[in-house]
């Protein structure tokens, strides 16, 4: 079985965030945000996460922007130009256009955790990424676990 985890850092303090990852046995945190260096990210800045993941969880960190939405899509959603359903349609098309299924092997994400900002997965692209990999690999036993 392949397990894909997801997590958001908003509304979590560092202790809860890293305990969730460590207790789940995550081997790599895969940051799928457009910008991983925002000052608003607090403990979740990319350069810090690389250190914290190794020191606290004995795990790796990788930033993969190809799994992030475009700035235009994010802005259109935040500005309410499109709703969540529209966002979902456009984001799935972006993943198709980037040839994600052909470029990334889902087995390489086993026991990895997709990171984004939102505190819950319902309206977050990290859920869409995990579901995309599951849909593109129907012959594989893939479990998605949202850490929160």
């Amino acid at each position: 079985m392949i397990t894909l985890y997801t997590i958001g850092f908003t509304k979590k303090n560092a202790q809860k965030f890293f305990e969730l990852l460590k207790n789940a046995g995550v081997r790599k945190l895969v940051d799928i945000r457009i910008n991983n260096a925002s000052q608003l990210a607090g403990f979740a800045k990319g350069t810090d996460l690389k250190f914290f993941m190794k020191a606290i969880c004995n795990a790796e960190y990788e930033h993969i922007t190809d799994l992030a939405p475009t700035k235009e899509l994010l802005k259109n959603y935040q500005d309410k130009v499109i709703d969540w359903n529209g966002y979902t349609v456009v984001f799935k098309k972006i993943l198709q256009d980037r040839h994600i299924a052909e470029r990334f092997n889902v087995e390489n994400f086993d026991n990895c955790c997709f990171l984004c900002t939102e505190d819950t997965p319902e309206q977050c692209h990290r859920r869409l990424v995990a579901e995309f990999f599951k849909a593109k690999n129907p012959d594989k036993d893939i479990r998605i676990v949202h850490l929160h």
Side-chain angles (χ1 to χ4, degrees), residues 6-10 12 17 114-119 126 147:
T6 81
I7 194 168
F9 68 85
T10 301
K12 290 177 189 66
F17 180 83
F114 296 116
L115 166 71
C116 195
T117 306
E118 299 297 325
D119 59 327
R126 70 179 185 270
L147 302 175

Side-chain angles (χ1 to χ4, degrees), residues 71-127:
K71 289 180 181 179
E72 177 186 21
L73 174 58
L74 193 56
K75 182 171 179 6
N76 285 342
Y77 179 65
Q78 291 169 337
D79 292 347
K80 300 187 183 337
V81 173
I82 59 170
D83 63 7
W84 178 249
N85 289 333
Y87 179 100
T88 299
V89 169
V90 173
F91 185 69
K92 287 179 180 179
K93 173 110 173 60
I94 289 168
L95 294 178
Q96 293 287 356
D97 291 348
R98 291 177 179 168
H99 305 284
I100 296 303
E102 296 79 22
R103 294 177 44 224
F104 293 95
N105 185 336
V106 70
E107 284 93 352
N108 294 335
F109 293 120
D110 186 25
N111 289 318
C112 292
C113 186
F114 296 116
L115 166 71
C116 195
T117 306
E118 299 297 325
D119 59 327
T120 63
E122 292 80 22
Q123 292 188 335
C124 184
H125 79 283
R126 70 179 185 270
R127 176 181 60 83

Side-chain angles (χ1 to χ4, degrees), residues 39-58:
Q39 292 302 316
L40 300 175
F43 69 85
K45 287 185 277 212
T47 53
D48 293 335
L49 282 174
K50 186 172 184 174
F51 170 78
F52 289 140
M53 286 303 294
K54 183 55 84 178
I56 298 170
C57 302
N58 193 32

Side-chain angles (χ1 to χ4, degrees), residues 24-73:
V26 167
R27 69 174 183 86
K28 182 190 286 186
L29 185 64
V30 180
D31 190 339
I32 59 172
R33 297 174 291 171
I34 297 170
N35 179 7
N36 69 346
S38 168
Q39 292 302 316
L40 300 175
F43 69 85
K45 287 185 277 212
T47 53
D48 293 335
L49 282 174
K50 186 172 184 174
F51 170 78
F52 289 140
M53 286 303 294
K54 183 55 84 178
I56 298 170
C57 302
N58 193 32
E60 300 297 317
Y61 167 84
E62 184 176 5
H63 186 214
I64 303 178
T65 57
D66 281 345
L67 299 178
T70 62
K71 289 180 181 179
E72 177 186 21
L73 174 58

